[in-house]
PDB file of all heavy atoms in Angstrom:
ATOM      1  N   ARG A  22     -21.158 221.733  94.743  1.00  0.00           N
ATOM      2  CA  ARG A  22     -20.297 221.530  95.906  1.00  0.00           C
ATOM      3  C   ARG A  22     -19.209 222.606  95.978  1.00  0.00           C
ATOM      4  O   ARG A  22     -18.867 223.091  97.046  1.00  0.00           O
ATOM      5  CB  ARG A  22     -19.675 220.133  95.853  1.00  0.00           C
ATOM      6  CG  ARG A  22     -19.085 219.653  97.147  1.00  0.00           C
ATOM      7  CD  ARG A  22     -18.672 218.191  97.123  1.00  0.00           C
ATOM      8  NE  ARG A  22     -17.614 217.925  96.149  1.00  0.00           N
ATOM      9  CZ  ARG A  22     -17.768 217.220  95.022  1.00  0.00           C
ATOM     10  NH1 ARG A  22     -18.928 216.691  94.710  1.00  0.00           N
ATOM     11  NH2 ARG A  22     -16.760 217.027  94.200  1.00  0.00           N
ATOM     12  N   LEU A  23     -18.671 223.011  94.821  1.00  0.00           N
ATOM     13  CA  LEU A  23     -17.574 223.980  94.784  1.00  0.00           C
ATOM     14  C   LEU A  23     -18.048 225.418  94.607  1.00  0.00           C
ATOM     15  O   LEU A  23     -17.276 226.353  94.789  1.00  0.00           O
ATOM     16  CB  LEU A  23     -16.615 223.624  93.635  1.00  0.00           C
ATOM     17  CG  LEU A  23     -15.934 222.270  93.715  1.00  0.00           C
ATOM     18  CD1 LEU A  23     -15.111 222.020  92.455  1.00  0.00           C
ATOM     19  CD2 LEU A  23     -15.066 222.178  94.950  1.00  0.00           C
ATOM     20  N   GLY A  24     -19.310 225.586  94.234  1.00  0.00           N
ATOM     21  CA  GLY A  24     -19.829 226.909  93.901  1.00  0.00           C
ATOM     22  C   GLY A  24     -19.649 227.958  94.976  1.00  0.00           C
ATOM     23  O   GLY A  24     -19.259 229.091  94.692  1.00  0.00           O
ATOM     24  N   ALA A  25     -19.932 227.603  96.207  1.00  0.00           N
ATOM     25  CA  ALA A  25     -19.801 228.585  97.292  1.00  0.00           C
ATOM     26  C   ALA A  25     -18.360 229.067  97.422  1.00  0.00           C
ATOM     27  O   ALA A  25     -18.109 230.265  97.606  1.00  0.00           O
ATOM     28  CB  ALA A  25     -20.283 227.986  98.609  1.00  0.00           C
ATOM     29  N   ASP A  26     -17.402 228.152  97.295  1.00  0.00           N
ATOM     30  CA  ASP A  26     -15.996 228.543  97.375  1.00  0.00           C
ATOM     31  C   ASP A  26     -15.585 229.394  96.172  1.00  0.00           C
ATOM     32  O   ASP A  26     -14.841 230.362  96.318  1.00  0.00           O
ATOM     33  CB  ASP A  26     -15.092 227.311  97.456  1.00  0.00           C
ATOM     34  CG  ASP A  26     -15.211 226.592  98.800  1.00  0.00           C
ATOM     35  OD1 ASP A  26     -15.608 227.243  99.786  1.00  0.00           O
ATOM     36  OD2 ASP A  26     -14.908 225.391  98.850  1.00  0.00           O
ATOM     37  N   LEU A  27     -16.062 229.027  94.993  1.00  0.00           N
ATOM     38  CA  LEU A  27     -15.724 229.805  93.792  1.00  0.00           C
ATOM     39  C   LEU A  27     -16.342 231.194  93.826  1.00  0.00           C
ATOM     40  O   LEU A  27     -15.790 232.140  93.271  1.00  0.00           O
ATOM     41  CB  LEU A  27     -16.186 229.072  92.532  1.00  0.00           C
ATOM     42  CG  LEU A  27     -15.348 227.884  92.122  1.00  0.00           C
ATOM     43  CD1 LEU A  27     -16.020 227.133  90.977  1.00  0.00           C
ATOM     44  CD2 LEU A  27     -13.957 228.319  91.714  1.00  0.00           C
ATOM     45  N   ALA A  28     -17.477 231.344  94.473  1.00  0.00           N
ATOM     46  CA  ALA A  28     -18.161 232.634  94.537  1.00  0.00           C
ATOM     47  C   ALA A  28     -17.500 233.614  95.496  1.00  0.00           C
ATOM     48  O   ALA A  28     -17.735 234.824  95.396  1.00  0.00           O
ATOM     49  CB  ALA A  28     -19.624 232.420  94.929  1.00  0.00           C
ATOM     50  N   VAL A  29     -16.647 233.127  96.392  1.00  0.00           N
ATOM     51  CA  VAL A  29     -15.989 234.009  97.357  1.00  0.00           C
ATOM     52  C   VAL A  29     -15.154 235.045  96.605  1.00  0.00           C
ATOM     53  O   VAL A  29     -14.364 234.711  95.724  1.00  0.00           O
ATOM     54  CB  VAL A  29     -15.093 233.201  98.330  1.00  0.00           C
ATOM     55  CG1 VAL A  29     -14.234 234.128  99.186  1.00  0.00           C
ATOM     56  CG2 VAL A  29     -15.947 232.302  99.197  1.00  0.00           C
ATOM     57  N   GLY A  30     -15.373 236.291  96.943  1.00  0.00           N
ATOM     58  CA  GLY A  30     -14.629 237.373  96.313  1.00  0.00           C
ATOM     59  C   GLY A  30     -15.158 237.777  94.955  1.00  0.00           C
ATOM     60  O   GLY A  30     -14.568 238.605  94.276  1.00  0.00           O
ATOM     61  N   ARG A  31     -16.247 237.205  94.529  1.00  0.00           N
ATOM     62  CA  ARG A  31     -16.827 237.514  93.215  1.00  0.00           C
ATOM     63  C   ARG A  31     -18.208 238.142  93.424  1.00  0.00           C
ATOM     64  O   ARG A  31     -19.227 237.569  93.058  1.00  0.00           O
ATOM     65  CB  ARG A  31     -16.953 236.245  92.376  1.00  0.00           C
ATOM     66  CG  ARG A  31     -15.634 235.571  92.075  1.00  0.00           C
ATOM     67  CD  ARG A  31     -15.880 234.272  91.301  1.00  0.00           C
ATOM     68  NE  ARG A  31     -14.687 233.492  91.171  1.00  0.00           N
ATOM     69  CZ  ARG A  31     -13.797 233.622  90.202  1.00  0.00           C
ATOM     70  NH1 ARG A  31     -13.970 234.518  89.259  1.00  0.00           N
ATOM     71  NH2 ARG A  31     -12.737 232.864  90.156  1.00  0.00           N
ATOM     72  N   ALA A  32     -18.213 239.326  93.970  1.00  0.00           N
ATOM     73  CA  ALA A  32     -19.476 239.978  94.308  1.00  0.00           C
ATOM     74  C   ALA A  32     -20.368 240.188  93.087  1.00  0.00           C
ATOM     75  O   ALA A  32     -21.594 240.078  93.180  1.00  0.00           O
ATOM     76  CB  ALA A  32     -19.203 241.316  94.992  1.00  0.00           C
ATOM     77  N   THR A  33     -19.769 240.461  91.939  1.00  0.00           N
ATOM     78  CA  THR A  33     -20.585 240.750  90.747  1.00  0.00           C
ATOM     79  C   THR A  33     -21.188 239.513  90.105  1.00  0.00           C
ATOM     80  O   THR A  33     -22.094 239.626  89.290  1.00  0.00           O
ATOM     81  CB  THR A  33     -19.776 241.515  89.688  1.00  0.00           C
ATOM     82  OG1 THR A  33     -18.655 240.716  89.298  1.00  0.00           O
ATOM     83  CG2 THR A  33     -19.296 242.858  90.226  1.00  0.00           C
ATOM     84  N   THR A  34     -20.683 238.339  90.458  1.00  0.00           N
ATOM     85  CA  THR A  34     -21.225 237.111  89.854  1.00  0.00           C
ATOM     86  C   THR A  34     -21.762 236.117  90.885  1.00  0.00           C
ATOM     87  O   THR A  34     -22.207 235.040  90.509  1.00  0.00           O
ATOM     88  CB  THR A  34     -20.169 236.406  88.980  1.00  0.00           C
ATOM     89  OG1 THR A  34     -18.997 236.165  89.756  1.00  0.00           O
ATOM     90  CG2 THR A  34     -19.821 237.227  87.749  1.00  0.00           C
ATOM     91  N   LYS A  35     -21.747 236.462  92.155  1.00  0.00           N
ATOM     92  CA  LYS A  35     -22.236 235.541  93.185  1.00  0.00           C
ATOM     93  C   LYS A  35     -23.668 235.089  92.896  1.00  0.00           C
ATOM     94  O   LYS A  35     -24.013 233.919  93.070  1.00  0.00           O
ATOM     95  CB  LYS A  35     -22.161 236.173  94.568  1.00  0.00           C
ATOM     96  CG  LYS A  35     -22.608 235.206  95.659  1.00  0.00           C
ATOM     97  CD  LYS A  35     -22.659 235.837  97.019  1.00  0.00           C
ATOM     98  CE  LYS A  35     -23.134 234.892  98.083  1.00  0.00           C
ATOM     99  NZ  LYS A  35     -24.363 234.174  97.801  1.00  0.00           N
ATOM    100  N   HIS A  36     -24.491 235.997  92.409  1.00  0.00           N
ATOM    101  CA  HIS A  36     -25.883 235.645  92.112  1.00  0.00           C
ATOM    102  C   HIS A  36     -25.986 234.553  91.043  1.00  0.00           C
ATOM    103  O   HIS A  36     -26.943 233.789  91.024  1.00  0.00           O
ATOM    104  CB  HIS A  36     -26.674 236.892  91.678  1.00  0.00           C
ATOM    105  CG  HIS A  36     -26.251 237.455  90.373  1.00  0.00           C
ATOM    106  ND1 HIS A  36     -25.080 238.171  90.205  1.00  0.00           N
ATOM    107  CD2 HIS A  36     -26.832 237.394  89.157  1.00  0.00           C
ATOM    108  CE1 HIS A  36     -24.960 238.527  88.944  1.00  0.00           C
ATOM    109  NE2 HIS A  36     -26.012 238.071  88.281  1.00  0.00           N
ATOM    110  N   LEU A  37     -24.979 234.444  90.183  1.00  0.00           N
ATOM    111  CA  LEU A  37     -24.998 233.393  89.161  1.00  0.00           C
ATOM    112  C   LEU A  37     -24.723 232.027  89.779  1.00  0.00           C
ATOM    113  O   LEU A  37     -25.303 231.019  89.359  1.00  0.00           O
ATOM    114  CB  LEU A  37     -23.998 233.704  88.051  1.00  0.00           C
ATOM    115  CG  LEU A  37     -24.278 234.983  87.266  1.00  0.00           C
ATOM    116  CD1 LEU A  37     -23.147 235.266  86.291  1.00  0.00           C
ATOM    117  CD2 LEU A  37     -25.623 234.907  86.554  1.00  0.00           C
ATOM    118  N   TYR A  38     -23.848 231.984  90.772  1.00  0.00           N
ATOM    119  CA  TYR A  38     -23.596 230.732  91.499  1.00  0.00           C
ATOM    120  C   TYR A  38     -24.844 230.325  92.278  1.00  0.00           C
ATOM    121  O   TYR A  38     -25.188 229.148  92.340  1.00  0.00           O
ATOM    122  CB  TYR A  38     -22.388 230.874  92.427  1.00  0.00           C
ATOM    123  CG  TYR A  38     -21.098 231.057  91.683  1.00  0.00           C
ATOM    124  CD1 TYR A  38     -20.632 232.330  91.369  1.00  0.00           C
ATOM    125  CD2 TYR A  38     -20.354 229.957  91.275  1.00  0.00           C
ATOM    126  CE1 TYR A  38     -19.446 232.503  90.671  1.00  0.00           C
ATOM    127  CE2 TYR A  38     -19.164 230.122  90.571  1.00  0.00           C
ATOM    128  CZ  TYR A  38     -18.720 231.399  90.270  1.00  0.00           C
ATOM    129  OH  TYR A  38     -17.560 231.564  89.575  1.00  0.00           O
ATOM    130  N   ASP A  39     -25.514 231.325  92.854  1.00  0.00           N
ATOM    131  CA  ASP A  39     -26.779 231.053  93.552  1.00  0.00           C
ATOM    132  C   ASP A  39     -27.824 230.531  92.572  1.00  0.00           C
ATOM    133  O   ASP A  39     -28.601 229.631  92.898  1.00  0.00           O
ATOM    134  CB  ASP A  39     -27.294 232.317  94.247  1.00  0.00           C
ATOM    135  CG  ASP A  39     -26.387 232.785  95.374  1.00  0.00           C
ATOM    136  OD1 ASP A  39     -25.571 231.971  95.864  1.00  0.00           O
ATOM    137  OD2 ASP A  39     -26.485 233.970  95.742  1.00  0.00           O
ATOM    138  N   ARG A  40     -27.828 231.090  91.372  1.00  0.00           N
ATOM    139  CA  ARG A  40     -28.771 230.656  90.340  1.00  0.00           C
ATOM    140  C   ARG A  40     -28.509 229.196  89.970  1.00  0.00           C
ATOM    141  O   ARG A  40     -29.450 228.403  89.824  1.00  0.00           O
ATOM    142  CB  ARG A  40     -28.625 231.565  89.117  1.00  0.00           C
ATOM    143  CG  ARG A  40     -29.547 231.241  87.977  1.00  0.00           C
ATOM    144  CD  ARG A  40     -29.317 232.208  86.819  1.00  0.00           C
ATOM    145  NE  ARG A  40     -30.210 231.936  85.726  1.00  0.00           N
ATOM    146  CZ  ARG A  40     -30.719 232.873  84.936  1.00  0.00           C
ATOM    147  NH1 ARG A  40     -30.411 234.136  85.105  1.00  0.00           N
ATOM    148  NH2 ARG A  40     -31.516 232.531  83.959  1.00  0.00           N
ATOM    149  N   LEU A  41     -27.252 228.842  89.839  1.00  0.00           N
ATOM    150  CA  LEU A  41     -26.901 227.455  89.523  1.00  0.00           C
ATOM    151  C   LEU A  41     -27.375 226.516  90.628  1.00  0.00           C
ATOM    152  O   LEU A  41     -27.990 225.486  90.355  1.00  0.00           O
ATOM    153  CB  LEU A  41     -25.393 227.313  89.325  1.00  0.00           C
ATOM    154  CG  LEU A  41     -24.873 225.899  89.089  1.00  0.00           C
ATOM    155  CD1 LEU A  41     -25.393 225.339  87.765  1.00  0.00           C
ATOM    156  CD2 LEU A  41     -23.359 225.871  89.108  1.00  0.00           C
ATOM    157  N   LYS A  42     -27.107 226.881  91.861  1.00  0.00           N
ATOM    158  CA  LYS A  42     -27.491 226.029  92.981  1.00  0.00           C
ATOM    159  C   LYS A  42     -29.009 225.875  93.079  1.00  0.00           C
ATOM    160  O   LYS A  42     -29.522 224.805  93.407  1.00  0.00           O
ATOM    161  CB  LYS A  42     -26.942 226.592  94.284  1.00  0.00           C
ATOM    162  CG  LYS A  42     -27.108 225.665  95.445  1.00  0.00           C
ATOM    163  CD  LYS A  42     -26.362 226.149  96.659  1.00  0.00           C
ATOM    164  CE  LYS A  42     -26.477 225.103  97.752  1.00  0.00           C
ATOM    165  NZ  LYS A  42     -25.647 225.412  98.894  1.00  0.00           N
ATOM    166  N   ALA A  43     -29.750 226.933  92.762  1.00  0.00           N
ATOM    167  CA  ALA A  43     -31.207 226.913  92.869  1.00  0.00           C
ATOM    168  C   ALA A  43     -31.899 226.267  91.665  1.00  0.00           C
ATOM    169  O   ALA A  43     -33.070 225.901  91.747  1.00  0.00           O
ATOM    170  CB  ALA A  43     -31.737 228.334  93.036  1.00  0.00           C
ATOM    171  N   ALA A  44     -31.173 226.093  90.571  1.00  0.00           N
ATOM    172  CA  ALA A  44     -31.780 225.542  89.350  1.00  0.00           C
ATOM    173  C   ALA A  44     -32.318 224.139  89.605  1.00  0.00           C
ATOM    174  O   ALA A  44     -31.648 223.305  90.210  1.00  0.00           O
ATOM    175  CB  ALA A  44     -30.758 225.520  88.223  1.00  0.00           C
ATOM    176  N   GLN A  45     -33.523 223.892  89.111  1.00  0.00           N
ATOM    177  CA  GLN A  45     -34.199 222.623  89.375  1.00  0.00           C
ATOM    178  C   GLN A  45     -34.072 221.606  88.239  1.00  0.00           C
ATOM    179  O   GLN A  45     -34.260 220.423  88.460  1.00  0.00           O
ATOM    180  CB  GLN A  45     -35.684 222.875  89.650  1.00  0.00           C
ATOM    181  CG  GLN A  45     -35.929 223.710  90.902  1.00  0.00           C
ATOM    182  CD  GLN A  45     -35.451 223.007  92.159  1.00  0.00           C
ATOM    183  OE1 GLN A  45     -35.792 221.858  92.395  1.00  0.00           O
ATOM    184  NE2 GLN A  45     -34.643 223.692  92.954  1.00  0.00           N
ATOM    185  N   THR A  46     -33.782 222.063  87.038  1.00  0.00           N
ATOM    186  CA  THR A  46     -33.694 221.140  85.904  1.00  0.00           C
ATOM    187  C   THR A  46     -32.276 221.163  85.326  1.00  0.00           C
ATOM    188  O   THR A  46     -31.525 222.132  85.539  1.00  0.00           O
ATOM    189  CB  THR A  46     -34.678 221.539  84.791  1.00  0.00           C
ATOM    190  OG1 THR A  46     -34.277 222.805  84.248  1.00  0.00           O
ATOM    191  CG2 THR A  46     -36.109 221.612  85.321  1.00  0.00           C
TER     192      THR A  46
END
């Protein structure tokens, strides 16, 4: 829920927030 907001301004780690959101297990 908070990941998108935390990723703002973090271009070098945004993909990690996306990875968390996409994780299935």
